[in-house]
Structures are given as C-alpha cells and as structure tokens.
C-alpha cells in the first residue's frame, strides 16, 4: 500500500510539472504558423511595424518581413520563442539557389539560413538596396 501511495504521488508530481511547463511555454518546437503570425511577431518586436511583405522559411522556423518604410526584419526561432533583428545592410546576405543565408552584425544572433524557394532571388535582390541612400 505504501508503495502505491508513493507511485501515485510521483505520477501526480510529474503531471503537475508537465502542466507548469505547458503554462510557461517551455520546450516544444515553435513554428511560424502563417504570414499573420509573422506580422504579429514583427509588430511585437517593433511596435507599429506595418508589414507589407512576408517571406516564410519552408520549415517555418524563420521569416523576412518588410514594412512601408522599406525596413526589413529577420525573424528566427530562438529556443522556444522567436528573436528578431532589423537588417540594415546587405553585407551578410548570401544567395544559394533557393536558400538565403543572412549573417547579422549582432554576433549573438548568429547566421540564419532560410529556405525561401522561388522567393529567395527576389528577396536577395531587394536586400541589396539596404543601407543605400533613400530619396
């Protein structure tokens, strides 16, 4: 009987820890659900970011978003959440077929490779304008 009580208590503790982990959104494998989710992540990172264009990574672990002011945000999976950086230069951008590899100036952010499919060339060309003088 004592062993059964210990077993029940251990099972209850495991279930409680699982519930707490879910409530705190720990673990898991977050993905960007769709373009609206990418827009929300951009607005969360930069209040009032008015997203006009979105390019989602095929695996939905990253995205590029552009606003009406031609600012571009790079969104990437970071643990169980997402991190965002504004791209200000095309210096760290490399195109390889359908893959766009981006290295930001923030070394902690790291290098991100996005599988953008047919959009990769279009976005690579548009990123070449970053850092140039605007009229």
């Amino acid at each position: 009987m004592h062993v059964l009580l210990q077993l029940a208590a251990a099972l209850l503790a495991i279930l409680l820890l699982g519930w707490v982990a879910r409530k705190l959104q720990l673990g898991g494998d977050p993905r960007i659900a769709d373009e609206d989710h990418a827009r929300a992540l951009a607005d969360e990172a930069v209040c009032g970011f008015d997203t006009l264009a979105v390019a989602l990574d095929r695996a939905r672990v990253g995205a590029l978003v552009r606003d009406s002011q031609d600012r571009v945000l790079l969104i990437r999976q970071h643990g169980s959440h997402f991190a965002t950086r504004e791209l200000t230069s095309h210096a760290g951008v490399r195109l390889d077929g359908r893959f766009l590899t981006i290295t930001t100036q923030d070394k902690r952010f790291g290098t991100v490779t996005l599988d953008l499919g047919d959009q990769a060339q279009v976005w690579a060309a548009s990123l070449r304008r970053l850092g140039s003088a605007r009229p």
Side-chain angles (χ1 to χ4, degrees):
M1 182 71 162
H2 182 63
V3 174
L4 288 176
L5 285 175
Q6 285 180 330
L7 183 62
L11 182 60
L12 184 61
I14 290 170
L15 291 173
L16 180 64
L17 286 174
W19 179 80
V20 168
R22 182 175 297 274
K23 284 295 181 186
L24 293 175
Q25 297 179 341
L26 300 175
D29 187 19
R31 303 294 171 134
I32 300 173
D34 53 23
E35 288 187 7
D36 287 336
H37 186 202
R39 284 182 179 87
L41 290 169
D43 185 57
E44 185 179 301
V46 178
C47 186
F49 193 86
D50 182 27
T51 302
L52 295 179
V54 176
L56 291 175
D57 174 71
R58 189 174 185 173
R60 309 280 176 148
V61 295
L64 288 170
V65 294
R66 180 185 315 281
D67 75 352
S68 57
Q69 299 174 25
D70 246 6
R71 294 180 298 177
V72 176
L73 296 181
L74 171 61
I75 302 170
R76 68 170 281 229
Q77 189 179 39
H78 180 72
S80 63
H81 299 285
F82 293 94
T84 306
R85 293 293 184 274
E86 182 176 353
L87 301 179
T88 57
S89 168
H90 71 280
V93 177
R94 192 181 78 233
L95 175 66
D96 183 16
R98 56 192 277 149
F99 297 97
L100 197 59
T101 300
I102 303 168
T103 303
T104 65
Q105 294 175 343
D106 183 351
K107 299 296 182 202
R108 296 170 298 156
F109 194 75
T111 298
V112 179
T113 299
L114 302 173
D115 180 352
L116 300 180
D118 296 338
Q119 294 184 48
Q121 291 181 349
V122 173
W123 276 86
S126 73
L127 292 177
R128 286 189 204 108
R129 294 191 304 262
L130 290 177
S132 62
R134 294 183 183 137

